[in-house]
């Protein structure tokens, strides 16, 4: 993902992001339309709908108004310590009264940006919601400094200052390129001090992958030249960035208890002690072992490269191959230079060693770059240089990390070499050209088994069929023509030459038909492995899936093959280094161990993940996750307690630190660094022993002779017991495959079941204006920039709108700008409507139908918003609390305008409820309304959820019916008043509708009634779907209806099914009720109750309501009425026109 690089090597923050946003908006406020997905079917509130039309002067008065409100609110919250919370005394509260949520601590090598804010907002909205409900809410926030990026960046800056001066004068790109030499890179020296780092690349090489000097990167984020040299000390980064992050999160309005904040690494001795305790405990439990394992490794850094140490390739692990040693029987051409230097082997990497019985040849890429490299025991290996580098880190070459190339070769130099290959039927096979070999995968040398590889079969067939192809690459007939396909595996339905069978069935013509070949390969490989039976060799008659490891082990034991690993996909470290796979002797966490995995799966089963997609990703991860290298030799962090030469890596020291939040304020007393112990001096780092942590977190015996008072220890124990387990952890989805799964594992190892996590909520990445955020393109915003540009509330509004799924979300600057306009106009309306002389009906006045409808809309908004907040669907919460309720308010204003007017009681109910419902999303504005406008005591943040009566959804449907009729009748009035079109002569003058007749059908009858009854029987209310044969059921139900007599089946379907389709679509949204034969309310009574509203909305002097069964009323219509077209919810109409006046 494109990420903000304030340093050359940057560790991914614990929060997921992919972000976006440019500089200050180039359009003035008010010229931005609301986000398209936020325009419901009904009309948007007037303030929103008119935004684009009105425009605004290009000034920031509205934004500045929100910033002023923001500053005042935050000052008030700080004074009231609204977000500081301690565990109550035992028995004073229940576990259901608390909410503990947390967000992965971001990495402190740069400023927080909008991507951080997006993930953080999910926790902030959830915490604010639970606080509003009256719960005790703990929302702490720490900052991550563990790992290699900060140290690497500081060292890099120091080298630049030494080399180029201070201030530095950097060479031009041409000068830098000219200075690069082709010297081979040395292997990293063994490190005894993990805080010391020595680059193994030239200066030019060290810059690779970063695109800029470290000095220039720091300049680009506004750090002055005078201040930059201080960043050559890695500890300066720790002092510089965490306070800025704290300031930005505070400015966002997040309800963080900052007393519990901390930084990681041994700079903070209390946290350092906590991590040492954690690892001592895991080692005692047998969860940490020392062993040699293949791991992704950075040659430049001289240590394993975990996910958060990578610039690209997160989640990529080692891919293990079997290297088949194919002995060269002759050394023709350029290869003759190797004569007498040792036995030469062509090293072919394969995932299918069991198929070597079917070899007919070997493949090489004619234009590929190869080399002859010194192996062990005097052997020489032919392979790509990239593969040789990997092999050199796996104890397969004389010098680790330094493959010795004896001879550089092109693939064409290898063509025609005769080889003796293990398990091959033929005594010799030849190297032939294959043009589809990828040199960045495997060794560049490929075995050929055409019986079970569609690619091999078609390539060999091409060479046999095409003499000119053989001639082009200098291939002799004797190398190709005698070698036929060798049957080795019997596959059900595909026979004993599966590749041949599938290629013929799919009519694949040549090796160039890559799309079909990929499909064929998938079929042959999967079926061959799962169902195939070997039909040659000593293991004939056994299933391939059973004998594959046996044959591989036999080849390894006999020296015919060796194990080889490389990254599954390219991995680049934060130092800009292309990673390899190395066999490293270091400390591992035993993730994947059977018993531990089973326990972790149990924890996953009881974990709330807010969706199957996330749950399935966790299941998949726990299925493949194996031992994890948890130590490093370079960077910042906590030293492995029993092996001081190593540091604990950044993903391993951050698995259960959520528990540390519960006691951090007791130990650190609000100092995030606490470099020398607690500020008061009462607790020193050496006082906090493993026995203290055992007591606090595990409930073991109170440590004896502990300098920490029993009262303090008891307080720490109470804090942990009350707050743990945490109720929610919010993170980006890319942390499922590492941090979040590691966290589950470690919780199950350390804590009893009652302290296992309750919920993980993962989100997708964030786009900015539908594009990836990237500083290089200018489509980027820091959190500070976003708050300054839009205000915290408008930014939060747009973040809530951005999306709630695991798909990529989208922050729209137009939505943020529209939010500025909407919020400030709402504030202006509230002040105006509550002012003296605003025309509101007095408090206590009898409620009208429109008053009741509006109060019902408030109740509905409260219910729907609460449901959305509970499910962490914040876009839905915003829609219910702002857009839907705002629409209802605007309808209420119009329905009562010019008549009785709005009720002051109803308006106050709307304003109060709106402030409460939106408090989690726009807390500054909501609190301003609560405190300064409504003059209420306390803060809206803790005011409680609005008291709600049971919503009347029938009333809402009736109200919507009136609004729909107004829209429909306006169109009919306009059509009635339009003069008839004339081909010649002047147009006739328009008429004027002066009266309307509305004729209501009270129920569906005839075939429509039968259709609806049939649909009811075929409808599944839970899924809101219909039976597959619903159309047949409908046609059968109406076949005997007398009104359809005389119609054949085709005509019946043409008459009935369009109506059935319409009602089925309605039921998909509205449920079973829309299939009733009558409306759930009295349609005539509803129209009559809103008669004055209808006349005012339609601008008609008179409107008459009648039913279609009233023959006299129908006869009085000005024009003939097609009463057959009327049905419940869709009345027939007739309009009386006043004769047009003529000149």
């Amino acid at each position: 993902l494109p990420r903000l690089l304030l340093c050359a090597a940057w560790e991914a923050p614990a929060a997921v992001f992919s972000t976006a946003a440019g500089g200050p908006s180039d359009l003035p406020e008010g010229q931005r339309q609301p986000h398209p997905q936020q325009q419901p079917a009904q009309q948007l509130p007037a303030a929103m709908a008119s935004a684009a039309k009105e425009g605004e002067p290009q000034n920031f008065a509205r934004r500045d108004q929100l910033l002023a409100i923001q500053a005042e609110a935050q000052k008030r919250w700080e004074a009231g310590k609204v977000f500081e919370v301690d565990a109550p005394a035992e028995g004073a509260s229940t576990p259901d009264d608390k909410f503990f949520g947390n967000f992965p601590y971001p990495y402190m090598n740069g400023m927080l940006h909008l991507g951080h804010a997006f993930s953080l907002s999910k926790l902030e909205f959830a915490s604010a919601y639970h606080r509003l409900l009256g719960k005790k809410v703990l929302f702490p926030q720490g900052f991550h400094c563990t790992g290699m990026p900060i140290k690497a960046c500081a060292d890099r800056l120091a080298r630049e200052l030494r080399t180029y001066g201070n201030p530095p004068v950097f060479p031009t790109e041409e000068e830098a390129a000219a200075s690069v030499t082709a010297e081979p890179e040395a292997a990293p020296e063994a490190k005894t001090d993990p805080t010391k780092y020595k680059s193994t690349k030239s200066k030019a090489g060290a810059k690779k992958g970063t695109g800029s000097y470290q000095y220039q990167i720091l300049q680009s984020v506004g750090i002055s030249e005078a201040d930059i040299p201080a960043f050559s000390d890695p500890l300066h980064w720790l002092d510089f960035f965490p306070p800025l992050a704290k300031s930005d999160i505070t400015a966002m309005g997040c309800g963080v208890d900052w007393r519990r904040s901390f930084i990681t690494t041994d700079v903070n001795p209390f946290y350092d002690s906590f991590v040492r305790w954690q690892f001592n405990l895991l080692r005692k439990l047998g969860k940490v072992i020392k062993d040699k394992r293949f791991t992704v490794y950075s040659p430049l850094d001289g240590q394993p490269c975990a996910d958060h140490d990578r610039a690209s390739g997160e989640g990529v692990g080692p891919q293990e191959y079997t290297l088949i040693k194919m002995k060269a029987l002759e050394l023709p051409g350029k290869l003759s230079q190797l004569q007498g230097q040792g036995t030469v082997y062509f090293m072919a990497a394969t995932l299918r060693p069991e198929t070597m019985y079917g070899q007919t040849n070997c493949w090489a890429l004619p234009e590929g770059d190869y080399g002859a490299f010194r192996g062990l025991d005097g052997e020489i290996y032919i392979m790509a240089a990239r593969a040789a580098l990997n092999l050199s880190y796996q104890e397969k070459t004389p010098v680790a990390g330094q493959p010795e190339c004896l001879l550089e070769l092109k693939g064409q130099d290898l063509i025609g070499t005769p080889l003796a290959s293990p398990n091959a039927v033929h005594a010799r096979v030849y190297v032939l050209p294959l043009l589809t070999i990828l040199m960045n995968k495997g060794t560049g040398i490929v075995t050929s088994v055409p019986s079970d590889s569609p690619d091999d079969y078609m390539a060999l067939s091409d060479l046999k069929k095409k003499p000119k192809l053989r001639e082009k690459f200098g291939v002799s007939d004797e190398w190709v023509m005698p070698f036929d396909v060798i049957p080795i595996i019997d596959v059900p339905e595909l026979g004993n030459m599966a590749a041949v069978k599938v290629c013929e069935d799919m009519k694949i013509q040549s090796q160039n038909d890559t799309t079909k070949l990929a499909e064929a390969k998938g079929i042959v490989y999967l079926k061959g492995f799962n169902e195939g039976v070997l039909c040659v060799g000593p293991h004939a008659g056994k299933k391939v899936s059973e004998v594959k490891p046996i044959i591989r082990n036999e080849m390894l034991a006999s020296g015919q093959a060796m194990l080889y690993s490389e990254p599954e996909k390219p991995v680049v470290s934060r130092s800009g280094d292309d990673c390899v796979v190395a066999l490293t002797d270091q400390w591992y966490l035993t993730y994947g161990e059977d018993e531990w995995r089973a326990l972790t799966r149990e924890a996953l089963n009881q974990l709330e993940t807010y969706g199957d997609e996330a749950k399935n990703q966790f299941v998949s991860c726990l299925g493949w996750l194996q031992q994890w290298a948890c130590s490093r030799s370079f960077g910042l962090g906590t030293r492995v307690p029993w092996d001081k030469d190593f540091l604990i890596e950044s993903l391993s020291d951050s698995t259960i630190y959520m528990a540390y939040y519960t006691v951090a304020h007791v130990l650190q007393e609000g100092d995030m660094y606490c470099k020398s112990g607690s500020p008061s001096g009462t607790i020193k780092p050496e006082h906090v022993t493993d026995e203290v942590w055992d007591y606090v977190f595990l409930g073991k015996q109170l440590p004896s002779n502990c300098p920490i008072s029993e009262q303090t220890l008891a307080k720490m124990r109470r804090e942990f017991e009350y707050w743990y387990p945490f109720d929610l952890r919010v993170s980006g989805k890319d942390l499922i495959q590492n941090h979040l799964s590691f966290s589950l594992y470690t919780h199950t190892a350390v804590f009893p079941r009652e302290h296992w996590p309750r919920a993980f909520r993962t989100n997708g990445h964030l786009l900015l204006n539908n594009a990836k955020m990237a500083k290089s393109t200018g489509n980027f915003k820091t959190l500070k920039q976003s708050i300054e540009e839009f205000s915290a509330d408008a930014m939060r509004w747009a973040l809530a709108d951005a999306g709630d799924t695991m798909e990529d979300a989208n922050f729209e600057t137009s939505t943020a700008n529209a939010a500025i306009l909407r919020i400030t106009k709402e504030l202006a309306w509230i002040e105006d409507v509550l002012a003296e002389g605003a025309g509101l009906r007095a408090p206590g006045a009898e409620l009208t139908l429109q008053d009741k409808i509006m109060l019902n809309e408030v109740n509905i908004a409260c219910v729907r918003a609460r449901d959305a907040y509970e499910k962490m669907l914040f876009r839905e919460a915003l829609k219910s609390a702002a857009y839907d309720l705002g629409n209802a308010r605007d309808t209420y204003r119009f329905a009562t305008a010019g008549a009785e007017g709005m009720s002051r009681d109803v308006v106050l109910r709307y304003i109060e409820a709106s402030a409460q419902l939106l408090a989690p999303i726009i807390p500054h504005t909501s609190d301003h309304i609560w405190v300064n406008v409504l003059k209420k005591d306390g803060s809206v943040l803790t005011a409680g959820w609005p008291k709600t009566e049971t919503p009347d959804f029938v009333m809402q449907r009736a109200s919507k019916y009136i609004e729909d009729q107004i829209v429909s009748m306006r169109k009919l009035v306009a059509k009635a008043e339009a003069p008839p079109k004339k081909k010649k002569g002047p147009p006739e003058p328009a008429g004027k509708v002066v009266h309307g007749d509305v004729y209501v059908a009270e129920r569906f009858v005839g075939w429509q009634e039968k259709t609806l009854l049939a649909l009811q029987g075929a409808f599944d209310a839970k899924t809101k779907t219909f039976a597959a044969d619903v159309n047949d059921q409908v046609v059968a139900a109406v076949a005997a209806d007398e009104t359809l007599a005389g119609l054949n089946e085709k005509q019946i379907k043409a008459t009935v099914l369009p109506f059935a389709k319409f009602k089925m679509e309605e039921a998909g949204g509205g449920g079973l009720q829309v299939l009733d034969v009558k409306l759930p309310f009295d349609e005539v009574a509803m129209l009559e109750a809103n008669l004055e509203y209808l006349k005012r909305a339609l601008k008609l002097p008179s409107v008459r309501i009648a039913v279609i069964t009233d023959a006299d009323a129908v006869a009085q219509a000005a024009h003939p009425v097609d009463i057959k077209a009327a049905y419940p919810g869709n009345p027939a109409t007739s309009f009386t026109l006043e004769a047009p006046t003529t000149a």
Side-chain angles (χ1 to χ4, degrees), residues 282-358:
L282 290 172
R283 191 184 185 205
K284 288 178 185 177
L285 295 171
K287 307 302 183 185
V288 181
I289 62 171
K290 196 168 189 180
D291 202 355
K292 283 191 175 182
R293 290 285 187 273
F294 285 122
T295 187
V296 177
Y297 184 90
S298 167
L300 173 61
D301 300 329
Q303 63 180 6
C305 186
D307 280 0
H308 281 186
D309 300 328
R310 301 176 186 178
S312 64
E314 192 167 341
V316 174
Q319 172 67 65
E320 186 178 85
Y321 294 89
T322 303
L323 278 191
I324 307 299
K325 298 172 66 175
M326 308 174 78
K327 182 179 178 181
L329 300 176
E330 299 173 13
L331 297 174
K334 193 173 180 178
L335 287 171
S336 64
Q337 298 179 39
L338 299 173
Q339 199 72 45
Q341 297 189 52
T343 306
V344 177
Y345 291 95
F346 282 57
M347 308 296 283
T350 182
L351 297 172
R352 304 197 65 195
E354 75 281 5
T355 66
M356 293 302 100
Y357 299 105

Side-chain angles (χ1 to χ4, degrees), residues 980-994:
K981 295 181 179 179
K982 295 176 62 178
K983 292 184 179 179
K984 295 182 180 180
E988 294 186 8
K992 175 67 178 174
V993 173
V994 294

Side-chain angles (χ1 to χ4, degrees), residues 484-761:
D484 295 324
V485 177
I486 303 169
I488 59 169
I489 297 174
D490 191 17
V491 182
E493 301 176 14
L494 300 181
N496 58 13
M497 292 190 292
V500 179
K501 166 72 171 167
V502 172
C503 286
E504 290 175 350
D505 290 347
M506 296 180 66
K507 296 180 171 54
I508 299 174
Q509 301 300 314
S510 77
Q511 62 184 306
N512 298 322
D513 197 349
T514 54
T515 302
K516 284 187 176 181
L517 280 171
E519 183 181 352
K521 178 180 178 180
I523 295 171
V524 173
Y525 281 23
L526 183 63
K527 201 168 181 65
F529 178 77
N530 291 328
E531 303 178 38
V533 175
L534 204 65
C535 54
V536 296
H539 300 288
K542 296 180 181 178
K543 292 192 67 174
V544 170
S545 57
E546 296 174 4
V547 299
K548 177 178 179 174
I550 296 173
I551 294 174
R552 183 194 63 176
N553 291 336
E554 288 175 351
M555 296 178 75
L556 294 173
S558 66
Q560 296 175 316
M562 65 174 64
L563 291 181
Y564 165 76
S565 285
E566 65 183 32
E568 296 168 302
K569 297 177 182 178
V571 176
V572 178
S573 75
R574 295 290 175 189
S575 300
D577 185 34
D578 292 326
C579 291
V580 299
V581 167
L583 188 62
T584 59
D585 183 15
Q586 64 160 314
W587 295 102
Y588 289 88
L589 285 159
T590 60
Y591 300 141
E593 181 268 322
D594 290 343
E595 184 177 346
W596 199 5
R597 176 188 285 151
L599 201 60
T600 305
R601 282 176 171 160
E602 181 185 338
L604 176 60
N605 290 337
Q606 68 184 43
L607 186 77
E608 173 62 67
T609 60
Y610 297 93
D612 291 339
E613 184 179 0
K615 180 79 76 166
N616 291 338
Q617 288 192 27
F618 275 108
V619 170
S620 174
C621 180
L622 296 188
W624 58 257
L625 185 60
Q626 297 295 325
Q627 291 185 358
W628 180 263
C630 61
S631 59
R632 295 292 179 267
S633 55
F634 164 66
L636 302 176
T638 294
R639 293 176 186 270
V640 175
W642 58 89
D643 192 345
K644 302 295 185 179
D645 288 342
F646 289 95
L647 294 161
I648 297 169
E649 64 92 28
S650 61
L651 279 168
S652 300
D653 81 337
S654 54
T655 54
I656 58 169
Y657 70 88
M658 312 84 183
Y660 185 78
Y661 279 132
T662 64
V663 299
H665 63 307
V666 180
L667 296 172
Q668 301 191 199
E669 299 175 358
D671 179 355
M672 75 166 71
Y673 295 97
C674 238
K675 296 179 181 180
S676 303
S678 61
S680 66
T682 56
I683 304 177
K684 297 185 182 300
E686 57 269 24
H687 296 167
V688 188
T689 62
D690 282 2
E691 290 73 25
V692 168
W693 294 121
D694 284 343
Y695 167 74
V696 171
F697 293 134
L698 304 181
K700 293 187 177 181
Q701 185 176 357
L702 191 70
S704 59
N705 301 319
C706 180
I708 305 173
S709 70
E710 289 190 15
Q711 182 180 3
T712 299
L713 291 174
K715 176 177 175 57
M716 292 170 66
R717 175 66 181 163
R718 173 58 183 160
E719 287 282 336
F720 172 74
E721 285 186 311
Y722 179 73
W723 292 115
Y724 235 68
F726 59 82
D727 300 277
L728 174 68
R729 186 161 181 79
V730 169
S731 171
K733 63 182 180 182
D734 58 348
L735 296 189
I736 291 176
Q737 66 190 2
N738 43 58
H739 163 69
L740 294 176
S741 292
F742 295 177
S743 181
L744 271 185
Y745 259 108
T746 311
H747 272 88
T748 61
V750 172
F751 298 116
R753 286 172 174 79
E754 62 266 24
H755 289 150
W756 290 355
R758 290 180 175 172
F760 286 162
R761 175 68 162 84

Side-chain angles (χ1 to χ4, degrees), residues 180-415:
V180 177
T181 63
E183 296 177 5
E185 296 171 6
E189 298 175 1
K191 295 184 175 69
T192 56
D193 185 347
T195 65
K196 301 297 182 183
Y197 171 76
K198 181 179 179 181
S199 174
T200 59
K201 286 190 176 183
S202 65
K203 286 189 285 290
K207 299 184 198 93
K208 180 180 178 182
T210 63
S212 181
Y213 291 97
Q214 185 64 57
Y215 191 96
Q216 294 169 333
I217 294 171
L218 292 168
Q219 273 185 316
S220 72
V221 296
I223 299 175
S224 70
E225 288 191 350
D227 292 335
I228 288 177
F231 287 87
S232 60
D233 178 359
L235 298 184
H236 183 68
W237 297 68
L238 277 58
D239 291 332
F240 187 84
F241 285 113
L244 296 181
K246 175 183 176 181
S247 176
D248 291 345
I249 294 173
T250 300
M252 182 176 167
C254 295
V256 175
D257 184 349
W258 288 114
R259 300 173 305 154
R260 300 173 188 259
S261 185
F262 60 86
I263 68 164
T264 66
T265 76
D266 53 7
V267 169
N268 179 348
F270 287 125
Y271 186 76
D272 187 61
S273 168
F274 169 77
V275 175
R276 291 199 311 271
W277 164 78
Q278 172 189 335
F279 268 78
N280 280 330
L281 178 59
L282 290 172
R283 191 184 185 205
K284 288 178 185 177
L285 295 171
K287 307 302 183 185
V288 181
I289 62 171
K290 196 168 189 180
D291 202 355
K292 283 191 175 182
R293 290 285 187 273
F294 285 122
T295 187
V296 177
Y297 184 90
S298 167
L300 173 61
D301 300 329
Q303 63 180 6
C305 186
D307 280 0
H308 281 186
D309 300 328
R310 301 176 186 178
S312 64
E314 192 167 341
V316 174
Q319 172 67 65
E320 186 178 85
Y321 294 89
T322 303
L323 278 191
I324 307 299
K325 298 172 66 175
M326 308 174 78
K327 182 179 178 181
L329 300 176
E330 299 173 13
L331 297 174
K334 193 173 180 178
L335 287 171
S336 64
Q337 298 179 39
L338 299 173
Q339 199 72 45
Q341 297 189 52
T343 306
V344 177
Y345 291 95
F346 282 57
M347 308 296 283
T350 182
L351 297 172
R352 304 197 65 195
E354 75 281 5
T355 66
M356 293 302 100
Y357 299 105
Q359 294 174 88
T360 57
N361 60 280
C362 172
W363 301 115
L365 179 68
E367 294 302 316
D369 291 318
Y370 294 85
F373 296 91
R374 179 76 68 189
L376 297 177
D377 301 323
E379 297 177 344
I380 298 172
Y381 304 146
I382 305 296
M383 56 175 35
R386 177 195 53 78
L389 181 64
N390 270 277
L391 198 65
S392 72
Y393 282 97
Q394 298 168 23
E395 301 182 354
K396 298 294 194 302
T397 61
V399 182
Q402 296 186 35
E404 180 186 357
C405 184
L406 303 176
L407 181 65
E408 293 183 354
L409 298 158
K410 278 288 187 182
Q412 187 62 47
D413 299 326
L414 310 179
I415 304 301

